[in-house]
């Protein structure tokens, strides 16, 4: 299948071990069934598992395809979301919650399909002095042997036989109109109701509102449409080590997720209602989650079991239902999904930036898509331009650029790196064990590659 788009980027070489974090690199050299005995290999960044018992974690974690299914089903399990009526200008990207029925005939009167002359009877014709323009009231009827200048979209005078295009007529010295080719009865006239009659269903429930749908709705007489409301999302940025401006210093690092997540969530169809920076404060986290009225709460970091990883204890305290606790995917395995209220879910993203992206596409995207009543994208595959390392047990998501009919893996695909994904068109879904060159591999389009920033981030 041909790729839906192409972009430039830096392809990976066959040796990408330097792009793996320590835990992934160690996993690659172990036997597939060897249990992991300790967590002393290396420190992990805020929001990543310390892996005190890795075999237990692998057993507890959810396979990647199943995690996406659980996220999609979770959104369906909540209460019904009431449809809303919105102006056409606000409806782009939403889903129709009521059929789009024609409020008028289209066209609502006989109109000219071309600039030219409305003519009555056989030619030649005497031409009436005053022409007929679009937007004017019903013109005077024609009589046999009479013609009148007419503009595209103008109302057809009664008794008109046909519309003669400007390029198909000529005027003689006496001002009489002659056809330069045969005139067929009814030519270049759009009769009333040609496209639809009042009450006809133009589009069914579940239709995605595209620019063309907006145009059709306006033509059919709509000022507003009834749609599934845009899911509301709130972002909670955790971590005392994060800076909001300037260069990293004294053990502090720039927050990449605060600027990235709101736009990404909008690209997935959400309305981002708030972005809050809480640091590593368990009380503030509890207060923020319990006070939120969003459909989806997204947190960053704190999903493991370290001394300042407060997500699990907070979810337990509020009585949340933990639906996914770890996913067999790299990067991003410590992600989680919980139902915090009847109509609210929480997606806990790891603190590393690319791991957080993995959590977005694994858990947030299916959940938001279902809440918005959008159809699942059709899966597609492309052959890999190069062999790609895999993980012994887990799915790997690798940034790729699409070049022709191949997917080219990119460098800088470690959990803490954004350089690869910033140049990417898609994420390649690499099964455990890796994939050889030429292997057909499932791809997940990124929002800007799938629809374009102008459409996607509205």
């Amino acid at each position: 299948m041909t790729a839906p788009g192409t972009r430039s980027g830096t392809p990976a070489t066959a040796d990408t071990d330097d792009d793996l974090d320590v835990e992934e690199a160690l996993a690659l050299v172990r036997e597939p069934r060897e249990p992991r005995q300790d967590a002393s290999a290396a420190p992990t960044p805020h929001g990543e598992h310390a892996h005190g018992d890795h075999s237990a974690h692998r057993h507890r974690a959810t396979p990647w395809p199943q995690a996406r299914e659980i996220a999609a089903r979770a959104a369906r399990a909540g209460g019904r979301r009431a449809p809303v009526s919105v102006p056409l200008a606000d409806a782009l990207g939403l889903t129709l919650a009521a059929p789009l029925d024609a409020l008028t005939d289209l066209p609502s009167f006989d109109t000219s399909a071309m600039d030219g002359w409305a003519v009555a009877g056989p030619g030649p014709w005497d031409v009436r002095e005053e022409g007929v323009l679009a937007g004017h009231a019903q013109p005077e009827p024609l009589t046999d042997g009479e013609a009148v200048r007419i503009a595209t979209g103008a109302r057809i005078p009664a008794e008109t036989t046909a519309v003669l295009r400007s390029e198909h007529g000529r005027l003689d010295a006496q001002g009489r109109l002659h056809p330069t080719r045969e005139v067929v009865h009814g030519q270049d006239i759009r009769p009333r109701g040609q496209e639809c009659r009042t009450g006809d269903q133009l589009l069914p429930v579940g239709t995605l509102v595209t620019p063309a749908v907006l145009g059709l709705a306006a033509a059919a007489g709509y000022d507003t449409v009834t749609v599934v409301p845009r899911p509301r999302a709130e972002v909670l940025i955790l971590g005392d080590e994060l800076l909001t401006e300037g260069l990293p210093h004294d053990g502090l690092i720039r927050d990449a997720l605060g600027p990235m997540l709101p736009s990404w969530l909008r690209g997935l169809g959400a309305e981002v209602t708030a972005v809050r920076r809480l640091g590593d404060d368990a009380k503030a986290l509890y207060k923020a989650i319990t006070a939120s009225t969003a459909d989806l709460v997204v947190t960053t970091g704190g999903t493991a079991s370290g001394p300042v990883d407060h997500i699990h204890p907070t979810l337990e305290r509020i009585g949340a239902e933990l639906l996914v606790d770890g996913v067999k995917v790299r990067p991003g395995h410590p992600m989680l999904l919980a139902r915090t209220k009847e109509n609210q879910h929480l997606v806990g993203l790891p603190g590393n930036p690319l791991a957080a992206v993995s959590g977005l596409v694994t858990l947030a995207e299916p959940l938001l898509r279902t809440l918005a009543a959008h159809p699942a994208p059709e899966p597609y595959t492309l052959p890999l331009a190069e062999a790609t390392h895999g993980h012994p047990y887990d799915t790997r998501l690798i940034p790729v650029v699409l070049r022709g009919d191949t997917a080219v893996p990119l460098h800088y695909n470690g959990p803490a790196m954004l350089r690869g994904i910033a140049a990417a068109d898609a994420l390649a879904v690499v099964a455990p064990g890796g994939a050889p060159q030429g292997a057909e591999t499932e791809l997940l389009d990124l929002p800007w590659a799938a629809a374009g920033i102008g459409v996607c981030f509205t």
Side-chain angles (χ1 to χ4, degrees):
M1 174 176 177
T2 302
T6 58
R7 284 173 64 121
S8 60
T10 305
T13 62
D15 181 9
T16 59
D17 285 349
D18 290 342
D19 293 337
L20 305 179
D21 69 348
V22 173
E23 184 57 33
E24 290 180 283
L26 288 173
L28 289 173
V29 298
R30 290 193 175 105
E31 292 296 325
R33 298 186 181 275
E34 180 185 346
R36 302 178 186 178
Q37 300 298 329
D38 60 70
S40 60
T44 55
H46 178 76
E48 297 290 339
H49 275 302
H51 297 291
D53 182 349
H54 294 291
S55 58
H57 172 66
R58 288 200 305 275
H59 177 74
R60 185 172 64 247
T62 304
W64 182 77
Q66 184 180 344
R68 300 193 83 213
E69 293 172 4
I70 290 172
R73 288 200 306 269
R76 290 193 289 269
R80 184 175 180 270
R81 305 175 70 224
V84 294
S85 179
V86 301
L88 295 186
D90 298 330
L92 182 65
L94 301 181
T95 299
L96 291 181
L100 193 74
D101 295 336
L103 303 179
T104 181
D105 296 346
L106 284 182
S108 54
F109 46 81
D110 294 347
T111 64
S112 176
M114 292 288 171
D115 292 335
W117 295 269
V119 300
W125 303 275
D126 293 320
V127 180
R128 190 185 292 174
E129 287 188 9
E130 187 174 343
V132 181
L133 300 177
H136 288 240
Q138 178 70 45
E140 290 295 320
L142 293 176
T143 59
D144 273 356
E146 190 178 24
V148 64
R149 270 283 186 183
I150 194 166
T152 301
R155 295 170 68 108
I156 294 292
E159 310 304 329
T160 296
T161 303
V163 169
L164 181 66
R165 300 186 186 189
S166 296
E167 61 269 28
H168 297 160
R170 64 175 181 83
L171 296 172
D172 62 21
Q174 287 73 42
R176 289 172 60 81
L177 176 65
H178 299 261
T180 59
R181 62 175 58 187
E182 181 184 2
V183 177
V184 178
H185 191 280
Q187 73 182 25
D188 290 326
I189 294 175
R190 291 190 66 211
R192 176 174 181 164
Q194 182 185 51
E195 187 169 0
C196 65
R197 290 290 185 182
T198 301
D200 286 353
Q201 184 177 115
L202 304 177
L203 295 170
V205 170
T207 299
L208 181 67
V209 178
T210 64
V213 170
L214 294 176
L216 177 61
Y222 285 84
D223 300 314
T224 64
V225 287
T226 302
V227 293
V228 177
R230 197 181 301 277
R232 293 167 298 119
E234 187 169 336
V235 179
L236 306 180
I237 306 294
L238 312 183
D240 290 338
E241 75 277 21
L242 301 177
L243 294 168
T244 59
E245 60 183 14
L247 295 174
H249 62 86
D250 301 323
L252 303 177
I253 61 174
R254 277 297 296 270
D255 169 31
L257 297 182
M260 179 174 73
L261 291 182
S263 294
W264 203 304
L265 290 167
R266 292 186 191 103
L268 296 177
E271 174 192 353
V272 179
T273 58
V275 179
R276 308 185 193 281
R277 300 180 182 278
L278 306 182
D280 291 316
D281 187 329
K283 290 182 179 178
L285 178 63
Y286 173 84
K287 182 178 179 181
I289 294 175
T290 54
S292 175
T293 59
D295 301 297
L296 172 63
V297 177
V298 177
T299 63
T300 67
T303 54
S305 54
V308 292
D309 290 335
H310 301 306
I311 297 294
H312 283 91
T314 301
L315 292 175
E316 184 175 356
R317 181 182 174 192
I318 66 177
E321 180 185 1
L322 201 55
L323 304 176
V324 174
D325 188 11
V327 177
K328 294 180 181 178
V329 66
R330 300 300 175 105
H333 58 287
M335 67 182 73
L336 62 82
L337 171 66
R339 181 177 290 112
T340 48
K341 301 173 186 174
E342 181 184 1
N343 297 315
Q344 184 186 78
H345 291 83
L346 181 143
V347 168
L349 302 177
N352 271 326
L354 189 58
V357 168
S358 177
L360 281 175
V361 301
T362 301
L363 298 177
E365 187 275 332
L367 189 139
L368 288 171
R369 170 171 28 91
T370 304
L371 285 175
H374 288 176
E378 287 294 325
Y380 75 100
T381 65
L382 284 179
L384 290 173
E386 301 168 2
T388 302
H389 287 295
H391 187 276
Y393 320 105
D394 300 343
T395 300
R396 263 193 104 193
L397 301 180
I398 305 293
V400 295
V401 289
L402 308 182
R403 293 181 177 166
D405 289 332
T406 62
V408 183
L410 293 171
H411 269 314
Y412 309 109
N413 54 31
M417 299 180 180
L418 287 174
R419 188 172 171 183
I421 194 71
D425 297 308
L427 289 168
V429 182
V430 179
Q437 181 179 1
E440 288 285 335
T441 304
E442 180 183 357
L443 297 180
L444 303 176
D445 281 326
L446 299 174
W448 51 89
I453 288 177
V455 172
C456 206
F457 293 91
T458 54

PDB file of all heavy atoms in Angstrom, residues 16-31:
ATOM      1  N   THR A  16      21.159   0.410  16.298  1.00  0.00           N
ATOM      2  CA  THR A  16      20.477   1.476  17.033  1.00  0.00           C
ATOM      3  C   THR A  16      20.530   1.245  18.528  1.00  0.00           C
ATOM      4  O   THR A  16      19.762   1.839  19.278  1.00  0.00           O
ATOM      5  CB  THR A  16      19.005   1.562  16.591  1.00  0.00           C
ATOM      6  OG1 THR A  16      18.366   0.312  16.840  1.00  0.00           O
ATOM      7  CG2 THR A  16      18.872   1.939  15.137  1.00  0.00           C
ATOM      8  N   ASP A  17      21.439   0.399  19.011  1.00  0.00           N
ATOM      9  CA  ASP A  17      21.497   0.123  20.434  1.00  0.00           C
ATOM     10  C   ASP A  17      21.724   1.378  21.261  1.00  0.00           C
ATOM     11  O   ASP A  17      21.243   1.488  22.382  1.00  0.00           O
ATOM     12  CB  ASP A  17      22.622  -0.884  20.744  1.00  0.00           C
ATOM     13  CG  ASP A  17      22.231  -2.302  20.337  1.00  0.00           C
ATOM     14  OD1 ASP A  17      21.047  -2.492  20.040  1.00  0.00           O
ATOM     15  OD2 ASP A  17      23.099  -3.183  20.317  1.00  0.00           O
ATOM     16  N   ASP A  18      22.464   2.350  20.704  1.00  0.00           N
ATOM     17  CA  ASP A  18      22.726   3.572  21.453  1.00  0.00           C
ATOM     18  C   ASP A  18      21.461   4.368  21.707  1.00  0.00           C
ATOM     19  O   ASP A  18      21.440   5.240  22.572  1.00  0.00           O
ATOM     20  CB  ASP A  18      23.746   4.435  20.712  1.00  0.00           C
ATOM     21  CG  ASP A  18      25.129   3.819  20.730  1.00  0.00           C
ATOM     22  OD1 ASP A  18      25.378   2.930  21.568  1.00  0.00           O
ATOM     23  OD2 ASP A  18      25.949   4.234  19.901  1.00  0.00           O
ATOM     24  N   ASP A  19      20.401   4.085  20.935  1.00  0.00           N
ATOM     25  CA  ASP A  19      19.161   4.813  21.103  1.00  0.00           C
ATOM     26  C   ASP A  19      18.242   4.176  22.136  1.00  0.00           C
ATOM     27  O   ASP A  19      17.171   4.683  22.417  1.00  0.00           O
ATOM     28  CB  ASP A  19      18.401   4.895  19.765  1.00  0.00           C
ATOM     29  CG  ASP A  19      19.144   5.753  18.759  1.00  0.00           C
ATOM     30  OD1 ASP A  19      19.944   6.591  19.209  1.00  0.00           O
ATOM     31  OD2 ASP A  19      18.933   5.560  17.565  1.00  0.00           O
ATOM     32  N   LEU A  20      18.632   3.027  22.700  1.00  0.00           N
ATOM     33  CA  LEU A  20      17.810   2.348  23.687  1.00  0.00           C
ATOM     34  C   LEU A  20      18.176   2.836  25.078  1.00  0.00           C
ATOM     35  O   LEU A  20      19.315   3.192  25.344  1.00  0.00           O
ATOM     36  CB  LEU A  20      18.022   0.837  23.613  1.00  0.00           C
ATOM     37  CG  LEU A  20      17.809   0.174  22.254  1.00  0.00           C
ATOM     38  CD1 LEU A  20      18.092  -1.308  22.371  1.00  0.00           C
ATOM     39  CD2 LEU A  20      16.396   0.398  21.772  1.00  0.00           C
ATOM     40  N   ASP A  21      17.198   2.817  26.002  1.00  0.00           N
ATOM     41  CA  ASP A  21      17.574   3.097  27.375  1.00  0.00           C
ATOM     42  C   ASP A  21      18.237   1.856  27.961  1.00  0.00           C
ATOM     43  O   ASP A  21      18.266   0.782  27.360  1.00  0.00           O
ATOM     44  CB  ASP A  21      16.358   3.549  28.189  1.00  0.00           C
ATOM     45  CG  ASP A  21      15.338   2.447  28.417  1.00  0.00           C
ATOM     46  OD1 ASP A  21      15.441   1.380  27.773  1.00  0.00           O
ATOM     47  OD2 ASP A  21      14.451   2.673  29.241  1.00  0.00           O
ATOM     48  N   VAL A  22      18.773   1.982  29.157  1.00  0.00           N
ATOM     49  CA  VAL A  22      19.550   0.890  29.737  1.00  0.00           C
ATOM     50  C   VAL A  22      18.698  -0.365  29.887  1.00  0.00           C
ATOM     51  O   VAL A  22      19.133  -1.471  29.578  1.00  0.00           O
ATOM     52  CB  VAL A  22      20.134   1.328  31.099  1.00  0.00           C
ATOM     53  CG1 VAL A  22      20.805   0.160  31.790  1.00  0.00           C
ATOM     54  CG2 VAL A  22      21.127   2.461  30.892  1.00  0.00           C
ATOM     55  N   GLU A  23      17.487  -0.194  30.360  1.00  0.00           N
ATOM     56  CA  GLU A  23      16.633  -1.359  30.585  1.00  0.00           C
ATOM     57  C   GLU A  23      16.356  -2.106  29.289  1.00  0.00           C
ATOM     58  O   GLU A  23      16.418  -3.332  29.238  1.00  0.00           O
ATOM     59  CB  GLU A  23      15.305  -0.899  31.218  1.00  0.00           C
ATOM     60  CG  GLU A  23      14.361  -2.023  31.590  1.00  0.00           C
ATOM     61  CD  GLU A  23      14.996  -3.026  32.536  1.00  0.00           C
ATOM     62  OE1 GLU A  23      15.822  -2.636  33.362  1.00  0.00           O
ATOM     63  OE2 GLU A  23      14.656  -4.209  32.417  1.00  0.00           O
ATOM     64  N   GLU A  24      16.065  -1.373  28.203  1.00  0.00           N
ATOM     65  CA  GLU A  24      15.809  -2.027  26.923  1.00  0.00           C
ATOM     66  C   GLU A  24      17.064  -2.706  26.395  1.00  0.00           C
ATOM     67  O   GLU A  24      17.007  -3.812  25.857  1.00  0.00           O
ATOM     68  CB  GLU A  24      15.297  -0.993  25.915  1.00  0.00           C
ATOM     69  CG  GLU A  24      13.899  -0.501  26.210  1.00  0.00           C
ATOM     70  CD  GLU A  24      13.449   0.511  25.189  1.00  0.00           C
ATOM     71  OE1 GLU A  24      13.889   1.665  25.284  1.00  0.00           O
ATOM     72  OE2 GLU A  24      12.674   0.141  24.301  1.00  0.00           O
ATOM     73  N   ALA A  25      18.201  -2.043  26.524  1.00  0.00           N
ATOM     74  CA  ALA A  25      19.439  -2.627  26.030  1.00  0.00           C
ATOM     75  C   ALA A  25      19.766  -3.921  26.762  1.00  0.00           C
ATOM     76  O   ALA A  25      20.189  -4.916  26.158  1.00  0.00           O
ATOM     77  CB  ALA A  25      20.583  -1.625  26.184  1.00  0.00           C
ATOM     78  N   LEU A  26      19.547  -3.944  28.082  1.00  0.00           N
ATOM     79  CA  LEU A  26      19.792  -5.170  28.845  1.00  0.00           C
ATOM     80  C   LEU A  26      18.833  -6.276  28.419  1.00  0.00           C
ATOM     81  O   LEU A  26      19.222  -7.441  28.304  1.00  0.00           O
ATOM     82  CB  LEU A  26      19.634  -4.892  30.341  1.00  0.00           C
ATOM     83  CG  LEU A  26      20.740  -4.053  30.981  1.00  0.00           C
ATOM     84  CD1 LEU A  26      20.373  -3.723  32.420  1.00  0.00           C
ATOM     85  CD2 LEU A  26      22.067  -4.792  30.940  1.00  0.00           C
ATOM     86  N   ALA A  27      17.581  -5.886  28.169  1.00  0.00           N
ATOM     87  CA  ALA A  27      16.597  -6.895  27.778  1.00  0.00           C
ATOM     88  C   ALA A  27      16.961  -7.555  26.465  1.00  0.00           C
ATOM     89  O   ALA A  27      16.694  -8.741  26.253  1.00  0.00           O
ATOM     90  CB  ALA A  27      15.209  -6.265  27.680  1.00  0.00           C
ATOM     91  N   LEU A  28      17.603  -6.817  25.562  1.00  0.00           N
ATOM     92  CA  LEU A  28      17.922  -7.353  24.249  1.00  0.00           C
ATOM     93  C   LEU A  28      18.954  -8.474  24.309  1.00  0.00           C
ATOM     94  O   LEU A  28      19.004  -9.310  23.415  1.00  0.00           O
ATOM     95  CB  LEU A  28      18.441  -6.239  23.341  1.00  0.00           C
ATOM     96  CG  LEU A  28      17.397  -5.213  22.898  1.00  0.00           C
ATOM     97  CD1 LEU A  28      18.075  -4.087  22.142  1.00  0.00           C
ATOM     98  CD2 LEU A  28      16.350  -5.868  22.017  1.00  0.00           C
ATOM     99  N   VAL A  29      19.779  -8.485  25.337  1.00  0.00           N
ATOM    100  CA  VAL A  29      20.840  -9.498  25.393  1.00  0.00           C
ATOM    101  C   VAL A  29      20.493 -10.641  26.327  1.00  0.00           C
ATOM    102  O   VAL A  29      21.291 -11.546  26.520  1.00  0.00           O
ATOM    103  CB  VAL A  29      22.184  -8.870  25.831  1.00  0.00           C
ATOM    104  CG1 VAL A  29      22.620  -7.828  24.816  1.00  0.00           C
ATOM    105  CG2 VAL A  29      22.099  -8.259  27.219  1.00  0.00           C
ATOM    106  N   ARG A  30      19.336 -10.623  26.946  1.00  0.00           N
ATOM    107  CA  ARG A  30      18.926 -11.727  27.807  1.00  0.00           C
ATOM    108  C   ARG A  30      18.182 -12.771  26.993  1.00  0.00           C
ATOM    109  O   ARG A  30      17.582 -12.482  25.974  1.00  0.00           O
ATOM    110  CB  ARG A  30      18.010 -11.212  28.927  1.00  0.00           C
ATOM    111  CG  ARG A  30      18.737 -10.344  29.963  1.00  0.00           C
ATOM    112  CD  ARG A  30      17.824 -10.164  31.182  1.00  0.00           C
ATOM    113  NE  ARG A  30      18.547  -9.450  32.225  1.00  0.00           N
ATOM    114  CZ  ARG A  30      18.344  -8.179  32.521  1.00  0.00           C
ATOM    115  NH1 ARG A  30      17.485  -7.479  31.826  1.00  0.00           N
ATOM    116  NH2 ARG A  30      19.011  -7.596  33.496  1.00  0.00           N
ATOM    117  N   GLU A  31      18.180 -13.971  27.474  1.00  0.00           N
ATOM    118  CA  GLU A  31      17.369 -15.006  26.852  1.00  0.00           C
ATOM    119  C   GLU A  31      15.896 -14.664  27.065  1.00  0.00           C
ATOM    120  O   GLU A  31      15.517 -14.121  28.107  1.00  0.00           O
ATOM    121  CB  GLU A  31      17.665 -16.373  27.482  1.00  0.00           C
ATOM    122  CG  GLU A  31      19.055 -16.877  27.164  1.00  0.00           C
ATOM    123  CD  GLU A  31      19.239 -17.126  25.682  1.00  0.00           C
ATOM    124  OE1 GLU A  31      18.252 -17.561  25.040  1.00  0.00           O
ATOM    125  OE2 GLU A  31      20.345 -16.876  25.184  1.00  0.00           O
TER     126      GLU A  31
END
